[in-house]
Amino acid sequence: MKDVNKVEAPYETEEPWLPIETKLVVGSVIAGIIALIVLATLVHMFLLGGH
């Protein structure tokens, strides 16, 4: 009888996480945070009339 609680993956092994992938993820997060800060500052200055 087949075990109904076991989930079978379509593949057996996963690819290892490469160091370049870590750098890409960290760089993307940092770029996103910087973009949010810059864009929030521009919105405050030009659209909201901040002084």
Side-chain angles (χ1 to χ4, degrees):
M1 183 171 197
K2 190 174 183 178
D3 187 5
V4 294
N5 293 328
K6 183 179 178 184
V7 177
E8 293 183 13
Y11 48 86
E12 292 296 321
T13 59
E14 296 180 2
E15 291 185 42
W17 185 265
L18 300 175
I20 187 68
E21 292 173 318
T22 302
K23 291 178 184 178
L24 286 171
V25 170
V26 171
S28 297
V29 170
I30 291 172
I33 292 170
I34 291 171
L36 281 174
I37 292 170
V38 169
L39 293 173
T41 303
L42 291 174
V43 166
H44 181 72
M45 287 172 40
F46 293 109
L47 297 179
L48 299 177
H51 296 89

